[in-house]
Amino acid sequence: MNDAVPPGARTSPSTARNRQPILEVLEPRLTGGARVLEVASGAGEHAMFLAAHLPGVIWQPTDRDWEAIASISAWRAAAGPANLATPVRLDAADQHTWPKGPFDAVVCINMVHISPWAATRGLMEGAGRVLRRGGKLFLYGPYLEAQVETAASNLAFDESLKSRDPAWGLRHVADVRAEAATRGLRFAERAPMPANNLILVFEKA
């Protein structure tokens, strides 16, 4: 992947820090030919990197923000791999915006804590509908766990998020699991990640 930022594209320093660990979790869990729907692709850097390093996977980026769609398009036009699809608008909370499945996987990076709970509820509903049986939902980000002490940095981040929007904030894993279960998504795996983040994996029954 060419890291030079093309005109019209956006960038985030956090992407460069977490993209490799995310790839290391996804790579052995995605088979060749898999159709992957990425929800809330943001600037598009993760989509570019992951699609480039998973050439056997068809990667569909999406976002609810038209500026993000423009950024993804700029990255893709400049150096997008052949398996990176044209971005489409998707609002996780609005089921009418979801594309038709089936998909083998849904990937959502750093959305759950920077959106109202309605977005997570919509994510579970949408994923439960568009995933094939046995398909997986991957959620990356910081979470709260009942039996795990929360890092001071995550507590400060949670306070910062809530000061920006009271509807935002770190979610409890138990709440996310419960919401997923209502949509036929079984909790399958918890993968610890750098900087006190997690990847939570769910599987469609």
Side-chain angles (χ1 to χ4, degrees), residues 37-191:
L37 176 68
E38 184 185 9
V39 177
S41 300
E45 291 177 289
H46 278 120
M48 284 282 291
F49 179 82
L50 295 170
H53 286 79
L54 298 168
V57 167
I58 302 167
W59 196 277
Q60 176 62 68
T62 73
D63 204 274
R64 71 186 295 269
D65 178 11
W66 286 112
E67 291 186 3
I69 296 292
S71 178
I72 301 165
S73 297
W75 278 113
R76 182 174 179 271
N83 60 322
L84 180 62
T86 302
V88 297
R89 185 179 182 277
L90 186 157
D91 180 346
D94 182 356
Q95 296 304 305
H96 293 97
T97 66
W98 280 71
K100 293 182 179 179
F103 288 91
D104 299 286
V106 174
V107 174
C108 186
I109 299 169
N110 283 332
M111 183 203 80
V112 171
H113 56 288
I114 314 180
S115 60
W117 182 247
T120 297
R121 186 177 294 117
L123 173 65
M124 298 305 180
E125 180 178 352
R129 187 178 66 258
V130 306
L131 281 171
R132 64 165 178 80
R133 181 173 295 182
K136 291 180 170 58
L137 167 65
F138 297 89
L139 304 182
Y140 171 89
Y143 291 90
L144 303 172
E145 298 179 277
Q147 305 303 320
V148 179
E149 183 177 358
T150 305
S153 59
N154 277 359
L155 290 174
F157 185 39
D158 185 49
E159 291 182 5
S160 173
L161 290 171
K162 290 175 179 175
S163 70
R164 292 162 60 189
D165 189 326
W168 294 2
L170 273 61
R171 311 300 182 186
H172 287 272
V173 169
D175 293 337
V176 176
R177 290 180 60 172
E179 190 65 42
T182 67
R183 301 299 177 178
L185 299 170
R186 176 185 65 85
F187 181 68
E189 191 175 356
R190 171 192 180 276

Side-chain angles (χ1 to χ4, degrees), residues 13-23 46 109-110 140 193:
S14 65
T15 301
R17 294 194 297 268
N18 62 34
R19 63 189 184 182
Q20 183 63 36
I22 292 173
L23 173 64
H46 278 120
I109 299 169
N110 283 332
Y140 171 89
M193 303 294 284

